[in-house]
Amino acid sequence: MRPLSALVVLSLCWIQVSNGQFQIQPNGIDEKDPCGYPDTSRASYKASALLNWGYGFDSLRVDLARWGQSPFVRIDSVGATVQNRPMYMMTIQDTAVPSRPRKRVWIHARTHPNEVQGTWVTNEIIKLLLSSSTVARRLRDSCVFNIMPMYNPDGVELMRPRENANGIDIESNWGVATPQPEVQALRRLFTQLMSQPNPIRVALNMHSAIACKRYFVYHAASGTSNQFATMQQNFIGSARAHFPGGFEPWTYFVSWTSGAPTSYPESWFWYNHHEAVLANTYEDKNCLTAGGFDTTGVAILLAISDYLGVSGPTSIASEALSPNSFQLEQNFPNPFNPTTAIRFDVPRLSHVTLTVYNMLGQEVVTLVNETRQPGSYEARFNASSLSSGVYFYRLQTSDFADNKKLLLLDALGRDFKLKTDGYVSTKKMILTK
């Protein structure tokens, strides 16, 4: 196989951390911030930030170009960030189906840049909605999905743990007199969508928590209403039924016990529309043992389907996981030491090779080289005998090829050092084929 070539552009990496701002609580979470506070001093955290936590704005644009080829997708920019990056929104529905009132679902992810696991679940939801499965067809026919895969691209590109380019946590910026541009854009969009004949019925805010648990943030009846509390319990119960053992019960994280705050997007929905919108935050696992993003995405979509009354038989869950296109996913965890998992989809009988290369384009190891039946697969890469640094992996079939980068830390989890022409420094790497 021909070696890969790569252009490496180097730029100095600065991680900005305010003194004492990010401290891990005894249980990792509190009512004000269910995500918990990351330890930004850890070398593994900094190394992950160097790669935008494995999914940057450039990665999003590549995916948007691919998703945009679907006849069910429209992509719009609905606003601009502090640094004038577009805030992309996908609209997913089957417009070939005769026009009728569609039940609207809103999903946004990546408010906090380091919570990339919420992105992986959101991407799996998108992948399922664009598939040929029964549940996807049913949802596209009956609903319209508005999805913002990256709400805070400035923070992602600046490697901020939680903030936008102005150093503000836009998750809790909704109650101030003059919110940040990202909040203003989203609030305008919510106002517009809620004025449609088919307003938002379900709104999900996708995050991930360092507590390493999957759960929905439950808003207590004392801060909402008995009716809203029941709505949440039913929705969370439905998600748990579709992924047994996957999600914590609704009692795991109870918030708004002293009343509804004004700080959050869910606050905006509550104060303006009350029980008309099921607005919740979802927290995936923000830890090295995270995974099962596809199963999680399916369970959440089926819970939405149940809640909106567009469900079919629950047996469609397994069929929903069947791939309908080739896909190579980002390895997880990334950065890693010494092992990581690489997932890929094969939609039809194909001879598949999955190969890892070093920065010089030299083959390191071939993980897969055989004919595979249709399905989703996972390959484990053990790099215990390799030096720390950046590597590539490539999936190749007769009519498909894709490659991605991964970062191997040294045995102590310290920042890697890139060596080139005798110069050594810790860098951010921007890589293109």
Side-chain angles (χ1 to χ4, degrees), residues 110-149:
R110 212 63 182 280
T111 305
H112 293 151
N114 71 304
E115 296 171 18
V116 70
Q117 293 81 5
T119 293
W120 301 138
V121 176
T122 302
N123 287 2
E124 290 294 337
I125 289 174
I126 293 169
K127 175 182 171 182
L128 173 58
L129 286 172
L130 300 184
S131 74
S132 58
S133 68
T134 302
V135 64
R137 292 195 299 270
R138 191 186 306 276
L139 288 169
R140 290 195 303 262
D141 291 353
S142 303
C143 305
V144 53
F145 284 80
N146 299 122
I147 302 177
M148 183 173 286

Side-chain angles (χ1 to χ4, degrees), residues 39-103:
D39 182 1
T40 57
S41 66
R42 295 180 61 182
S44 59
Y45 178 93
K46 294 179 181 179
S48 182
L50 289 170
L51 294 179
N52 304 119
W53 294 273
Y55 193 86
F57 192 54
D58 55 343
S59 303
L60 172 63
R61 285 185 151 177
V62 169
D63 281 340
L64 286 171
R66 177 167 50 85
W67 293 329
Q69 297 175 12
S70 168
F72 310 124
V73 171
R74 188 182 77 244
I75 298 174
D76 302 289
S77 174
V78 298
T81 64
V82 172
Q83 294 190 335
N84 206 35
R85 289 185 174 88
M87 299 172 65
Y88 291 115
M89 180 187 73
M90 297 177 62
T91 299
I92 302 176
Q93 60 182 326
D94 188 352
T95 56
V97 174
S99 178
R100 61 175 182 266
R102 297 174 185 270
K103 299 173 181 180

Side-chain angles (χ1 to χ4, degrees), residues 23 87 123 127 133 228 232 313 347 350 369 380 384 431:
Q23 298 178 355
M87 299 172 65
N123 287 2
K127 175 182 171 182
S133 68
F228 192 77
Q232 295 175 93
S350 304
N369 184 15
R380 303 292 299 186
S384 56
L431 304 150

Side-chain angles (χ1 to χ4, degrees), residues 281-308:
T281 291
Y282 169 69
E283 299 280 352
D284 204 77
K285 295 181 176 182
N286 192 339
C287 57
L288 293 180
T289 59
F293 305 118
D294 51 352
T295 308
T296 302
V298 168
I300 290 175
L301 270 184
L302 291 177
I304 292 171
S305 181
D306 292 343
Y307 177 79
L308 295 178

Side-chain angles (χ1 to χ4, degrees), residues 55-290:
Y55 193 86
F57 192 54
D58 55 343
S59 303
L60 172 63
R61 285 185 151 177
V62 169
D63 281 340
L64 286 171
R66 177 167 50 85
W67 293 329
Q69 297 175 12
S70 168
F72 310 124
V73 171
R74 188 182 77 244
I75 298 174
D76 302 289
S77 174
V78 298
T81 64
V82 172
Q83 294 190 335
N84 206 35
R85 289 185 174 88
M87 299 172 65
Y88 291 115
M89 180 187 73
M90 297 177 62
T91 299
I92 302 176
Q93 60 182 326
D94 188 352
T95 56
V97 174
S99 178
R100 61 175 182 266
R102 297 174 185 270
K103 299 173 181 180
R104 189 178 300 273
V105 178
W106 171 267
I107 299 174
H108 71 272
R110 212 63 182 280
T111 305
H112 293 151
N114 71 304
E115 296 171 18
V116 70
Q117 293 81 5
T119 293
W120 301 138
V121 176
T122 302
N123 287 2
E124 290 294 337
I125 289 174
I126 293 169
K127 175 182 171 182
L128 173 58
L129 286 172
L130 300 184
S131 74
S132 58
S133 68
T134 302
V135 64
R137 292 195 299 270
R138 191 186 306 276
L139 288 169
R140 290 195 303 262
D141 291 353
S142 303
C143 305
V144 53
F145 284 80
N146 299 122
I147 302 177
M148 183 173 286
M150 190 175 290
Y151 175 35
N152 184 9
D154 286 358
V156 171
E157 291 306 295
L158 294 172
M159 294 170 287
R160 300 282 174 85
R162 307 164 66 79
E163 308 89 349
N164 70 350
N166 285 334
I168 302 297
D169 185 343
I170 57 178
E171 172 72 2
S172 55
N173 185 240
W174 286 67
V176 302
T178 306
Q180 291 295 295
E182 295 89 347
V183 176
Q184 293 184 43
L186 204 55
R187 192 164 62 182
R188 286 193 302 269
L189 179 60
F190 285 169
T191 301
Q192 175 187 347
L193 294 177
M194 291 306 296
S195 67
Q196 299 297 312
N198 56 334
I200 297 170
R201 294 278 306 279
V202 177
L204 294 182
N205 184 359
M206 309 295 284
H207 287 256
S208 60
I210 62 173
C212 202
K213 300 281 188 179
R214 292 190 197 91
Y215 60 93
F216 294 87
V217 176
Y218 174 81
H219 302 141
S222 54
T224 54
S225 69
N226 289 331
Q227 178 185 347
F228 192 77
T230 301
M231 291 162 53
Q232 295 175 93
Q233 292 174 27
N234 290 339
F235 179 80
I236 296 169
S238 178
R240 297 185 76 224
H242 291 300
F243 187 3
F247 303 96
E248 300 300 314
W250 66 265
T251 54
Y252 175 76
F253 192 98
V254 180
S255 65
W256 296 16
T257 54
S258 302
T262 61
S263 309
Y264 308 108
E266 292 81 9
S267 306
W268 185 92
F269 280 114
W270 175 250
Y271 281 111
N272 287 281
H273 300 285
H274 298 283
E275 294 89 355
V277 183
L278 178 66
N280 272 115
T281 291
Y282 169 69
E283 299 280 352
D284 204 77
K285 295 181 176 182
N286 192 339
C287 57
L288 293 180
T289 59

